[in-house]
Amino acid sequence: MRTSVYRFFTTDPADVSGLARAIAEGTIDPRSIVAIIGKTEGNGGMNDFTRALAMMAVSQVLATHLDCSPELVEERVVLSFSGGSEGVAAPHILVFAVSGRAAEQAYPIKRLALASAHTRPFSAQEVGRMAMVRETARAVTWLMHTLQVEPEDVHLVQIKGAIPALDSTTTENVRAEHLRCDMAWSRGASALGVALALGEVAESELSDDAINRDWSLYSSRASVSAKPLLQRSEMVLFANSCWWDGDLVIAHGVMQDIIDVPAIHAVLNQLGLQPVNGQLATADAEKVLAVFAKSDADPRGHIRHRRHTMWTDADISDMRYSRCVVSALLAGVTGETGVYVSTRAEHQGPQGGGPVAVIGYASS
């Protein structure tokens, strides 16, 4: 098996010309596509239409090749778009494809492997609770088994968390007092599900009360967004496997806060890349194919004992602030502005920080 990654920079949220051209030219077999992950230039908020526009455009292109309606494309391919390309971040899409067949024996070196899965459908009452944590952990464990990898081989689990529709019979009192059916709870429970599957937390440490409250519990490899009216969570697991061939690898690390440059350097060092005077040389920058990170404006109001104003400045969203900061650091160190930074990092890295993962060409 072999993983291929294709990156296309876009001129607007509906620009799928690069993908369409690659398919037409035979560079990409549309039936081999497992996932498409992208950054759009919207505001990243609830009213950000650019994500839906990008998904619609991609679905229309793929539908003609997958012999299905655009509405059914998401049953075949995980589509995940994050709004907000503030500052230097360049809007782009990443296409992940898998080809080949299972190896009969292990290779001497590990290469990038990926697979996708869905959880079972959730009820509104299960979101943000241990039922969601356990089911997410089950799906992640199944993916590890499918790829024949151990937890230490996993470097990123990209999840679109479920937020199912409320049952029409649910009373307003029950909704107000007991339901956690929103983005924050879906993200938090999904991230802890990844942490549980990867052995980053023990089930004995977890409970309904710990979710979105005990910030000492987190995953260093979960990247979670959430989508209203999504019945089941969708996920893509990225790992390095000795059963996969190719020339790509992935590495990860954790930023302790949003100015943790050494953490970025450490991830690049794992890939055999050494920044010179703080930034990768052009030849090394070209070896970087995908950069992922989660960020948040530290809710405690301080970064390294200095007060910040990201939560009190009413002119600019705290999300846009933190995305801009982390995107700038990643771009500055890698010399590559095609970076994917997503905000709201409940249980995704330590409070005020977040995971970082980089996919690049193997050094040997």
Side-chain angles (χ1 to χ4, degrees):
M1 302 293 289
R2 172 186 291 258
T3 301
S4 298
V5 180
Y6 306 91
R7 182 174 57 193
F8 303 101
F9 292 94
T10 58
T11 58
D12 58 68
D15 178 19
V16 289
S17 58
L19 173 61
R21 184 167 54 253
I23 292 174
E25 294 173 350
T27 303
I28 298 178
D29 177 359
R31 297 183 182 275
S32 71
I33 298 174
V34 174
I36 298 179
I37 301 172
K39 284 298 297 184
T40 62
E41 59 259 48
N43 60 25
M46 290 291 291
N47 65 336
D48 185 351
F49 68 90
T50 64
R51 294 172 296 207
L53 182 57
M55 290 182 64
M56 180 176 66
V58 167
S59 295
Q60 289 175 341
V61 168
L62 294 183
T64 59
H65 300 282
L66 299 180
D67 300 323
C68 66
S69 67
E71 293 74 22
L72 293 179
V73 167
E74 285 190 83
E75 297 294 320
R76 306 270 294 272
V77 179
V78 174
L79 302 179
S80 182
F81 288 86
S82 171
S85 297
E86 294 82 6
V88 300
H92 65 287
I93 62 173
L94 296 161
V95 179
F96 298 91
V98 170
S99 58
R101 58 184 181 180
E104 296 182 0
Q105 60 184 17
Y107 294 99
I109 50 179
K110 296 179 180 180
R111 290 293 185 250
L112 177 64
L114 66 89
S116 65
H118 298 89
T119 63
R120 64 166 173 78
F122 292 108
S123 69
Q125 289 78 9
E126 292 177 310
V127 173
R129 299 187 181 277
M130 284 302 297
M132 190 173 214
V133 173
R134 293 189 180 101
E135 172 59 15
T136 302
R138 182 205 63 78
V140 172
T141 301
W142 181 84
L143 283 173
M144 287 193 288
H145 177 76
T146 298
L147 294 176
Q148 295 179 273
V149 296
E150 299 299 323
E152 60 267 24
D153 297 316
V154 178
H155 293 271
L156 176 65
V157 183
Q158 184 84 17
I159 296 180
K160 187 189 298 182
I163 307 178
L166 297 180
D167 188 330
S168 60
T169 63
T170 303
T171 67
E172 289 297 330
N173 287 338
V174 169
R175 293 183 188 183
E177 295 176 10
H178 300 291
L179 289 189
R180 299 177 169 184
C181 196
D182 66 17
M183 288 185 172
W185 289 109
S186 180
R187 288 190 300 261
S190 298
L192 287 176
V194 175
L196 178 61
L198 299 182
E200 297 177 296
V201 300
E203 186 160 2
S204 60
E205 300 177 274
L206 300 175
S207 66
D208 285 353
D209 289 339
I211 300 170
N212 283 3
R213 294 195 178 100
D214 185 348
W215 303 115
S216 69
L217 305 173
Y218 62 83
S219 173
S220 63
R221 289 164 278 181
S223 177
V224 188
S225 59
K227 181 180 179 181
L229 303 184
L230 187 66
Q231 288 293 124
R232 57 185 187 176
S233 297
E234 305 170 354
M235 65 184 69
V236 185
L237 185 146
F238 298 82
N240 292 322
S241 172
C242 60
W243 295 96
W244 284 56
D245 195 9
D247 55 2
L248 300 177
V249 290
I250 183 171
H252 84 278
V254 180
M255 296 178 70
Q256 297 300 313
D257 55 40
I258 63 173
I259 59 171
D260 189 359
V261 175
I264 302 171
H265 283 239
V267 175
L268 295 174
N269 293 165
Q270 293 176 52
L271 298 175
L273 301 174
Q274 303 286 338
V276 178
N277 296 325
Q279 187 175 92
L280 292 180
T282 300
D284 281 343
E286 292 174 351
K287 296 177 182 178
V288 174
L289 276 181
V291 181
F292 300 93
K294 291 291 291 191
S295 74
D296 260 336
D298 196 311
R300 294 165 293 191
H302 294 82
I303 297 174
R304 301 190 188 185
H305 310 296
R306 300 284 191 252
R307 185 171 68 93
H308 71 76
T309 63
M310 288 181 279
W311 283 100
T312 56
D313 186 342
D315 294 321
I316 303 175
S317 162
D318 65 280
M319 294 190 299
R320 309 198 79 170
Y321 265 128
S322 69
R323 275 196 303 265
C324 192
V325 170
V326 176
S327 295
L329 290 186
L330 289 167
V333 173
T334 64
E336 171 56 68
T337 63
V339 297
Y340 176 103
V341 178
S342 171
T343 43
R344 295 293 182 256
E346 298 90 351
H347 299 294
Q348 299 156 69
Q351 192 172 30
V356 176
V358 178
I359 295 173
Y361 289 103
S363 57
S364 60

